């Protein structure tokens, strides 16, 4: 990339007339325009700024940016309405999320087991945020899943046992029984030893993940976290939660929609095309309005949790955009791959899972990360339907009577936070693109 | 057109299993549809809402702060929705034009050999693309609100006033007795534009503009067309045409956001043109500007039109955020109608249908234009 740019530069320098004069004039003009904008901003934001103090200090004439406001309000801006004593929980969730994201960026972690580890992590994060009965229920669930996962059962039997275990775990009532939970998780680990042959390293990794998750959940259940309704989930953790669950939940649906749109069966193709085109053709706001106002009517007055409703519609929205990206990737695979897989006797799903999708994701990862960045920004729209996300928390904090008239600093703080997330994600995308060696520029 | 495949297996033979499975699937979907409609009907019935569109004729009873056509709260809901739609179209057209005017030069700047220019445009694009649109709209609203009050309005040019109440510009007022009003003139110009693109002759548009200017000048002399100059009168500005602050904030926010994405698209388009084209242009002694205008941009267009279509459609969809800053577009009108009349299902259906139709129109036009600029091959 660098080589191409410098050879292009020298080529133009050698060939275009008057280059040096124009070049210098343009440079001068650009630098002076930039200085005209940047110097006053730097003076306002850094030199004249008030870093600590009260509102009076900020109102002194000649004072610049009031960062004291941001410092005072930062806890509210980030955590929203989550009770102050329990704010270590969303903080823990965000730290875990950051660690998991950073770890997943490295090549040794690009394997199937990471997905299962992420699912376990999401369960733990959910339990931490919500508290109450959920750590116990999820500990049981993880225990049963470990048993089912590592058991010698195969195929449908294993899926049936896991499904039944999950249902049973959710309907179990009664006081948390530590010994039972601990026993279940331990049983899972023991069965691992009697489990199937295969890559022992990855089995060990998975067993460790299950044990960690199960252990964390058991510890939380015994410590007794207080139950926090989803209405108190607000601020930055809500934004991260919506984006993460949205992207994660959208993947299976997007794969189905993309394959369905390419299907040769008319009914499936028409249905999938219709869903994708309609959801992509309308603004996200209309879908949010639909979820917030229309769904209660359709369900005859019964509403379930607003957060779940918004999350589900967000998953549908993301899935349709993701489906188009995946469809582009599917189209880029040469037909010979499909034919060769058929010639080997692979049926439809084994074909897709082992031959096609590894290639598709290699091609489409930059576009998918681009979509993730856009979704992260679009979660700010939920403030219009009443969910209290990060942007809304910042706007609310600006209405405080003690700090009246100070709004720019809040917007700068919000912009900076979003910028950090999105910029890092876009750099990650460029890095992955380079590592995968595919030149897929958009 | 390949035959439709009804067999589920790769072998291709149609087996009874395939037919039965697909019939079952069809039956399942139809049953689901019926159940959904019954549940909806029950739900609506219990809420006392009937599924008809008659409410569109009832009185709206809510004001709309700006409209190109006459509207008052005593007009019907249907008319309110039409006014909202025209407001959305206004934002969409102006937004797309400004977005293209800013985005294409910034994209070209990104590809310049000048490091300062590249850095400048890269910072612009990165800052705009990495912050949410809603945040940028709030910032623009705050900027527009911080403009001076009407009494101390800014005058960037004589007779143009910029204040908290918006932008006031001089306009020409057409005598109502004339056969065509501004709407008619806009329609004629749009027709000339379409003809110019269809016939690939820009002179058609040029001549129509000349005819229009001559007609307006003639009207000025005969008195049928009078200029209306805004001036400070009492507590406000009288005369002239006004552009509301919400419109300014929304259009600037949307255009700047879209221009950053368009700049990236244009950059990828320019980079897709081979170096040999630049060299060949140099060998026939074209200047840099001529090279870009005559050689590179036409080839870029071919590559860039499909993603640009989707960017334009994104701008139209993003205009729905107007509801957050108080500009009365169709989402605002629909939202108020929904809340007041209680006819939620119909209004949401209308709203979604409107956006789908608008997107379809843009998509059809751009696909046709794309087809026109494609290379003709065997």
């Amino acid at each position: 990339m660098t080589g191409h740019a410098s050879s292009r530069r020298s080529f133009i320098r050698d060939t275009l007339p008057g280059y040096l004069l124009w070049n210098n004039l343009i440079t001068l003009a650009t630098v002076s325009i930039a200085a005209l904008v940047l110097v006053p901003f730097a003076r306002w934001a850094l030199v004249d700024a008030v870093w600590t103090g009260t509102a009076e200090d900020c109102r002194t004439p000649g004072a610049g940016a009031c960062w004291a406001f941001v410092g005072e309000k930062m806890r509210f801006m980030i955590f929203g309405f989550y009770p102050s004593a329990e704010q270590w929980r969303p903080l823990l969730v965000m730290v875990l999320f950051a660690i998991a994201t950073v770890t997943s960026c490295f090549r040794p972690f690009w394997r199937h087991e990471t997905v299962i580890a992420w699912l376990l992590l999401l369960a733990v994060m959910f339990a931490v945020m919500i508290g109450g009965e959920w750590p116990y229920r999820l500990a049981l669930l993880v225990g049963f899943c470990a048993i089912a996962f590592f058991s010698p059962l195969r195929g449908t039997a294993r899926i049936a046992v896991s499904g039944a275990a999950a249902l049973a775990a959710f309907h179990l009532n009664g006081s948390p029984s530590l010994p039972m939970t601990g026993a279940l998780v331990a049983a899972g680990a023991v069965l691992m030893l009697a489990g199937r042959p295969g890559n022992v390293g990855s089995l060990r990794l998975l067993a460790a993940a299950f044990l960690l998750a199960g252990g964390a959940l058991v510890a939380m259940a015994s410590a007794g976290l207080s139950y926090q309704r989803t209405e108190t989930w607000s601020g930055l953790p809500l934004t991260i939660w919506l984006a993460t669950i949205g992207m994660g939940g959208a993947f299976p649906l997007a794969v189905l929609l993309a394959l369905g749109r390419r299907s040769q069966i008319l009914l499936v193709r028409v249905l999938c095309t219709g869903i994708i085109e309609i959801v992509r053709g309308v603004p996200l706001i209309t879908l949010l309005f639909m979820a917030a106002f229309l769904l209660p009517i359709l369900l005859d007055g019964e509403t379930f949790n607003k957060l779940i409703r918004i999350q589900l519609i967000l998953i549908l929205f993301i899935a349709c955009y993701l489906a188009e990206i995946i469809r582009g990737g599917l189209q880029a695979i040469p037909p010979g791959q499909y034919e060769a897989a058929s010639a080997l006797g692979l049926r439809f799903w084994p074909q897709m899972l082992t031959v096609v999708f590894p290639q598709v994701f290699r091609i489409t990862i930059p576009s998918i990360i681009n979509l993730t960045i856009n979704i992260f920004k679009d979660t700010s729209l939920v403030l219009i339907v009443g969910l209290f996300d990060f942007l809304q928390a910042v706007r609310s904090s600006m209405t405080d009577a003690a700090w009246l008239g100070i709004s720019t600093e809040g917007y700068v703080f919000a912009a900076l936070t979003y910028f950090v997330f999105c910029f890092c994600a876009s750099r990650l995308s460029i890095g992955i693109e380079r590592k995968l060696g595919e030149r897929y520029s958009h | 057109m390949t035959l439709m495949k009804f067999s589920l297996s790769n072998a291709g033979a149609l087996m009874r299993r395939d037919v039965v499975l697909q019939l079952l699937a069809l039956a399942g979907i139809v049953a689901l549809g019926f159940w959904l409609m019954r549940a909806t009907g029950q739900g609506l019935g219990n809420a006392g809402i009937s599924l008809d569109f008659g409410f569109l004729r009832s009185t709206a009873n809510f004001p709309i702060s700006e409209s190109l056509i006459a509207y008052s709260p005593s007009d019907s809901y249907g008319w309110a929705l039409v006014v909202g739609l025209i407001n959305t179209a206004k934002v969409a057209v102006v937004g797309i034009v400004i977005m293209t005017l800013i985005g294409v030069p910034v994209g070209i700047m990104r590809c310049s050999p000048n490091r300062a220019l590249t850095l400048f445009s890269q910072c612009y694009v990165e800052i705009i693309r990495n912050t949410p649109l809603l945040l940028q709209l709030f910032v623009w609203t705050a900027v527009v609100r911080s403009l001076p009050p009407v009494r101390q309005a800014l005058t960037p040019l004589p007779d143009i006033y910029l204040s908290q109440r918006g932008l006031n510009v001089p306009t020409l007022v057409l005598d109502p007795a004339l056969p065509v009003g501004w709407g008619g003139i806009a329609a004629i110009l749009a027709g000339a534009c379409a003809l110019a693109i269809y016939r690939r002759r820009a002179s058609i548009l040029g001549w129509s503009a000349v005819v229009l200017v001559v007609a307006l000048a003639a009207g000025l002399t005969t008195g049928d067309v009078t200029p209306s100059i805004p001036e400070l009168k009492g507590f406000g500005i009288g005369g002239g045409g006004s552009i509301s602050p919400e419109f300014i904030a929304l259009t600037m926010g949307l255009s700047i956001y879209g221009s950053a994405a368009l700049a990236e698209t244009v950059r990828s388009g320019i980079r897709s043109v081979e170096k040999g084209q630049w060299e060949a242009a140099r060998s026939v002694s074209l200047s840099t500007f001529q090279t870009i205008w005559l050689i590179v941009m036409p080839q870029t267009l071919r590559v860039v039109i499909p993603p640009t279509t989707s960017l334009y459609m994104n701008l139209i969809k993003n205009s729905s955020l107007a509801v957050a800053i108080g500009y009365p577009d169709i989402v605002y009108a629909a939202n108020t109608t929904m809340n007041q009349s209680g006819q939620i299902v119909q209004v949401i259906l209308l709203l979604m249908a409107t956006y789908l139709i608008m997107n379809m129109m843009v998509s059809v036009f751009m696909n046709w234009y794309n087809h026109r600029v494609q290379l003709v091959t065997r």
Side-chain angles (χ1 to χ4, degrees):
Chain A
M1 218 162 147
T2 335
H4 176 251
S6 68
S7 68
R8 193 184 64 208
R9 272 204 280 272
S10 59
F11 143 73
I12 291 182
R13 191 181 14 233
D14 293 332
T15 54
L16 294 177
Y19 172 76
L20 275 178
L21 175 66
W22 269 117
N23 192 29
N24 291 335
L25 280 175
I26 291 176
T27 313
L28 210 65
T30 315
V31 169
S32 33
I33 292 178
L36 249 144
V37 170
L38 286 177
V39 169
F41 180 75
R43 195 178 306 139
W44 172 84
L46 298 170
V47 178
D48 291 336
V50 177
W51 295 93
T52 50
T54 64
E56 272 68 52
D57 300 331
C58 288
R59 286 196 238 276
T60 58
C66 188
W67 300 123
F69 164 70
V70 173
E72 164 92 15
K73 292 281 178 188
M74 190 171 304
R75 280 187 93 170
F76 180 72
M77 283 191 208
I78 295 184
F79 295 112
F81 288 125
Y82 214 83
S84 165
E86 309 277 343
Q87 274 175 4
W88 60 271
R89 285 155 66 177
L91 187 64
L92 179 64
V93 163
M94 289 199 290
V95 165
L96 284 174
F97 176 78
I99 294 177
T101 314
V102 169
T103 336
S104 306
C105 296
F106 295 104
R107 205 164 194 158
F109 290 95
W110 296 355
R111 46 200 313 180
H112 304 291
E113 292 78 26
T114 316
V115 176
I116 299 182
W118 263 99
L119 286 173
L120 289 171
L121 182 72
L122 284 174
V124 170
M125 276 164 52
F126 179 68
V128 170
M129 282 292 279
I130 197 163
E133 280 281 303
W134 284 95
Y136 168 63
R137 288 197 197 135
L138 286 173
L140 284 179
L141 181 63
V142 166
F144 278 125
C145 284
I147 295 175
F149 191 77
F150 291 108
S151 78
L153 291 172
R154 285 286 166 277
T156 330
R158 190 162 78 179
I159 297 176
V161 167
S162 321
L167 280 171
F170 270 105
H171 283 96
L172 259 172
N173 255 333
S175 53
S177 162
L178 258 183
M180 189 167 97
T181 322
L184 278 171
V185 175
V190 163
L191 271 169
M192 179 269 298
L193 295 171
R196 52 203 184 162
N199 186 345
V200 180
S202 62
L203 274 178
R204 284 211 197 103
L205 223 84
L206 279 174
F210 270 101
L211 275 174
L212 265 175
L217 288 167
V218 167
M220 276 190 275
S222 59
L225 293 172
S226 63
Y227 176 68
Q228 298 298 332
R229 306 175 307 138
T230 52
E231 282 79 5
T232 58
W233 297 19
S234 37
L236 200 52
L238 182 65
T239 302
I240 294 177
W241 188 258
L242 282 171
T244 314
I245 303 281
M247 284 304 291
F251 258 95
L253 187 57
V255 163
L256 288 174
L257 282 172
L259 289 172
R261 189 165 178 172
R262 276 169 55 91
S263 163
Q264 286 164 308
I265 305 169
L266 182 66
L267 177 67
V268 173
R269 192 171 66 233
V270 165
L271 207 62
C272 292
T273 312
I275 293 176
I276 292 179
E277 290 301 330
I278 291 179
V279 172
R280 281 182 50 137
V282 295
L284 180 56
I285 282 203
T286 14
L287 293 172
L288 290 175
F289 278 164
M290 210 169 75
F293 302 131
L294 197 56
L295 231 48
I297 298 230
L298 290 183
L299 297 176
D300 208 0
E302 261 175 54
T303 55
F304 51 102
N305 199 316
K306 189 181 215 176
L307 179 61
I308 297 183
R309 269 184 278 149
I310 303 282
Q311 185 71 78
L312 288 176
I313 211 80
L314 201 57
I315 288 179
L316 177 65
F317 181 76
I318 299 174
C320 290
Y321 281 82
L322 198 51
E324 286 294 282
I325 295 178
I326 293 179
R327 185 173 76 108
L330 285 170
Q331 274 176 248
I333 310 265
Q337 298 285 313
Y338 298 96
E339 289 164 1
S342 297
L344 283 174
L346 291 173
R347 305 275 281 275
F348 181 74
W349 279 109
Q351 225 182 76
M352 289 297 152
L353 289 175
T354 58
V355 175
V356 178
F357 277 114
Q359 300 183 55
V360 166
F361 286 122
R362 170 180 276 251
I363 298 176
T364 56
I365 284 213
S367 301
I368 293 180
I369 297 188
N370 199 26
L371 181 68
T372 311
I373 297 175
N374 283 328
I375 295 300
F376 188 75
K377 291 184 296 175
D378 283 344
T379 53
S380 56
L381 264 71
V382 300
L383 70 86
I384 299 183
V385 281
L387 281 183
F388 209 79
D389 79 314
F390 177 60
L391 189 56
Q392 180 65 350
V394 171
R395 290 184 75 216
S396 293
S397 62
M398 294 193 297
T399 60
D400 188 352
W403 299 86
L404 213 52
I406 299 173
S407 60
T408 329
E409 292 81 354
Y411 283 134
V412 170
F413 174 65
L416 214 61
T417 315
Y418 277 109
F419 185 82
V420 162
F421 273 95
C422 298
F423 189 72
C424 293
S426 71
R427 289 289 125 180
L428 169 71
S429 156
I430 294 178
I432 288 185
E433 200 183 333
R434 219 174 277 152
K435 254 188 234 176
L436 289 177
E438 297 274 352
R439 287 265 165 252
Y440 190 72
S441 60
H442 204 263
Chain B
M1 175 86 181
T2 53
L3 285 173
M4 277 181 288
K5 183 179 154 180
F6 287 104
S7 159
L8 290 171
S9 69
N10 278 340
L14 189 67
M15 301 198 285
R16 194 181 344 171
R17 166 197 72 152
D18 300 332
V19 176
V20 167
L21 267 174
Q22 286 180 59
L23 278 178
L24 273 177
L26 185 61
I29 291 176
V30 166
L32 185 71
F34 265 123
W35 175 82
L36 214 66
M37 303 232 301
R38 263 237 347 238
T40 316
Q42 254 177 356
L44 291 175
N46 288 349
I49 304 172
S50 59
L51 202 63
D52 72 79
F53 287 88
F55 74 97
L56 287 174
R57 266 178 254 125
S58 359
T59 333
N61 283 330
F62 64 92
I64 293 184
S65 60
E66 58 178 287
S67 55
L68 269 183
I69 52 184
Y71 171 81
S72 77
S74 58
D75 286 322
S76 62
Y77 280 125
W79 195 243
L81 289 174
V82 169
V83 170
L85 180 61
I86 293 184
N87 281 342
T88 300
K90 205 166 68 166
V91 169
V93 167
V94 178
I96 287 179
V97 167
I98 299 183
M99 165 178 154
T100 315
L101 287 176
I102 301 179
V104 172
V106 173
I108 298 177
M109 278 199 320
R110 280 278 262 144
C111 302
S112 143
N114 186 320
R115 190 88 179 106
L117 218 53
T118 323
L119 210 61
F120 181 73
S121 46
Q122 191 172 0
C123 284
Y124 171 85
V125 167
E126 289 292 337
I127 292 178
I128 306 277
R129 288 190 82 192
N130 287 328
T131 42
L133 176 59
L134 201 54
L135 177 62
Q136 294 181 33
L137 286 178
F138 289 143
V139 168
W140 276 103
T141 316
V143 163
V144 165
R145 273 207 211 117
S146 70
L147 285 172
V150 181
R151 295 291 200 85
Q152 292 107 34
L154 302 168
T155 43
L157 293 170
D159 284 333
I160 296 185
Y161 295 93
L162 186 60
S163 70
Q164 260 175 3
R165 297 244 199 103
L167 188 65
N168 291 70
V169 292
T171 52
L172 296 168
V173 177
L174 297 173
D175 192 358
L178 284 176
V180 345
W182 279 116
I185 292 184
I188 294 175
L189 271 180
C193 212
L195 196 63
I197 295 178
Y198 182 68
R199 284 274 175 204
R200 294 194 206 233
R201 214 169 282 158
S203 56
I204 294 179
L205 196 57
W207 279 113
S208 344
V210 166
V211 165
L212 178 67
V213 168
V214 165
L216 283 174
L220 271 171
T221 48
T222 61
D224 284 328
V225 177
T226 46
S228 173
I229 314 282
E231 45 190 25
L232 229 49
K233 280 187 211 166
F235 282 110
I237 295 184
S242 73
I243 304 174
S244 75
E246 289 87 19
F247 181 80
I248 297 176
L250 185 65
T251 316
M252 290 313 296
L254 286 175
S255 320
I256 299 237
Y257 189 74
S259 71
L262 186 57
E264 283 295 291
T265 311
V266 168
R267 177 180 82 114
S268 77
I270 292 182
R271 286 182 57 156
S272 74
V273 176
E274 307 150 348
K275 203 167 80 166
Q277 298 287 308
W278 295 83
E279 291 170 350
R282 176 67 197 114
S283 72
V284 290
S285 51
L286 292 173
S287 73
T288 317
F289 176 73
Q290 283 172 320
T291 315
I292 294 181
W293 188 244
L294 296 171
I295 308 289
V296 177
M297 285 312 286
Q299 298 184 58
T300 312
L301 265 181
R302 274 188 209 116
V303 175
V304 140
I305 286 183
T308 308
T309 312
S310 103
L311 288 179
Y312 286 164
M313 297 207 282
N314 277 348
L315 186 121
I316 295 178
K317 287 186 284 177
N318 285 338
S319 70
S320 59
L321 290 181
V323 74
I325 62 172
Y327 178 76
D329 75 325
I330 187 161
V331 175
Y332 165 84
N335 198 21
T336 320
T337 309
M338 226 163 45
N339 288 331
Q340 276 188 209
S341 67
Q343 312 280 356
I344 300 188
V345 179
Q346 296 96 304
V347 173
I348 288 196
L349 279 176
L350 276 176
L351 193 59
M352 290 174 74
T354 314
Y355 274 107
L356 285 173
I357 292 176
M358 276 198 284
N359 278 329
M360 209 154 55
M361 278 166 38
V362 171
S363 178
V364 161
F365 173 74
M366 295 300 276
N367 280 338
W368 169 80
Y369 192 63
N370 189 30
H371 190 66
R372 290 270 292 193
V373 299
Q374 286 308 315
L375 294 168
V376 176
T377 56
R378 282 189 296 277

